[in-house]
Amino acid sequence: NYYNSGNTAAASEITIATLESSVKAYDYSNLGIANVENHLNIRKGPGEDEKIIGKLPRNAGCTILDIDKNGWAKIKSGKVTGYVMSSYLITGDEAVNLAKKVGSLIATVNTETLNVRTDESLMSDILTLVPIGEELEVKEVSTDWVKVSIDNDEGYVARQYVDLSYSLEKAVTVEDLADTVSSIRAQIVAYAKQFLGNPYVWGGESLTN
């Protein structure tokens, strides 16, 4: 028995075909993926004059709740529920296939508490415990174990206690986006202030000399 013996030799890398058959294609029902260069505006109502309440980045995923006769799709993604033009969404089998290419492989814990171990063996030390529903970034998948990233470290979880799925980037609210931009601006200003008072030299290539 592999689990009782702690024999890691049995944990050979599985084929892509085997992995695909056991992994959910995406985390959304009625999947839509943003087909834009930068981001897709999410509006409060169906219309170009409606207030923008969020942004759906390129290749980000959403659940399509409804599409009206004018082509406006009501979607939900992350914390945002609003409207986008359906012509800017990839749907159906094309969306499923794209999700496999652009999505991140995620392991979701399906048991009450799961041990993350230091090696592919039940005899190895426990690195930490994670609760049911926790999502872990997958690094590698073998027959019986999944290597995951957690708290800037890496460990192993028994494959039977996680559900593998492809996770797509989600929408961001206008408020969250503004907070991010403000934070970046503040960082730029703080960095520039370090060099106040330094002498200016024509054609100079250094911020300090």
Side-chain angles (χ1 to χ4, degrees):
N1 180 290
Y2 171 73
Y3 285 105
N4 289 337
S5 68
N7 181 10
T8 57
S12 58
E13 289 299 315
I14 62 176
T15 65
I16 293 297
T18 304
L19 178 61
E20 292 293 350
S21 67
S22 63
V23 175
K24 298 176 183 177
Y26 48 84
D27 288 338
Y28 310 90
S29 58
N30 300 319
L31 177 67
I33 297 179
N35 185 25
V36 289
E37 286 297 320
N38 190 3
H39 60 255
L40 181 59
N41 289 330
I42 304 174
R43 298 182 180 275
K44 188 173 183 179
E48 290 290 346
D49 56 343
E50 293 285 343
K51 180 182 178 182
I52 296 173
I53 59 173
K55 305 277 187 177
L56 192 65
R58 180 185 182 188
N59 289 335
C62 67
T63 299
I64 300 174
L65 303 176
D66 188 32
I67 300 179
D68 69 17
K69 62 181 181 180
N70 296 317
W72 283 95
K74 184 178 182 180
I75 66 165
K76 179 176 176 57
S77 179
K79 297 185 292 184
V80 185
T81 299
Y83 293 82
V84 300
M85 280 299 297
S86 59
S87 57
Y88 292 110
L89 295 176
I90 296 173
T91 59
D93 290 341
E94 187 180 356
V96 172
N97 293 329
L98 181 58
K100 295 176 182 179
K101 295 178 181 178
V102 301
S104 301
L105 191 56
I106 297 296
T108 304
V109 179
N110 61 21
T111 189
E112 187 172 350
T113 304
L114 180 61
N115 296 329
V116 180
R117 297 184 179 274
T118 57
D119 205 351
E120 298 173 274
S121 167
L122 291 181
M123 304 302 291
S124 62
D125 294 336
I126 296 174
L127 187 64
T128 187
L129 303 175
V130 289
I132 189 170
E134 185 84 1
E135 293 184 347
L136 305 170
E137 180 186 354
V138 174
K139 294 297 184 180
E140 295 176 10
V141 180
S142 61
T143 304
D144 297 306
W145 294 89
V146 179
K147 186 178 182 180
V148 298
S149 176
I150 183 168
D151 297 334
N152 297 320
D153 205 347
E154 293 182 346
Y156 297 84
V157 296
R159 190 175 169 193
Q160 64 178 319
Y161 296 122
V162 294
D163 295 321
L164 300 178
S165 63
Y166 289 104
S167 178
L168 296 169
E169 189 176 355
K170 297 177 177 63
V172 292
T173 65
V174 169
E175 291 77 13
D176 287 344
L177 193 62
D179 289 342
T180 300
V181 171
S182 296
S183 176
I184 293 173
R185 286 173 176 163
Q187 292 174 39
I188 292 172
V189 172
Y191 181 77
K193 282 183 176 179
Q194 299 177 69
F195 309 107
L196 287 173
N198 288 355
Y200 173 77
V201 179
W202 175 260
E205 297 180 348
S206 169
L207 292 171
T208 56
N209 299 323

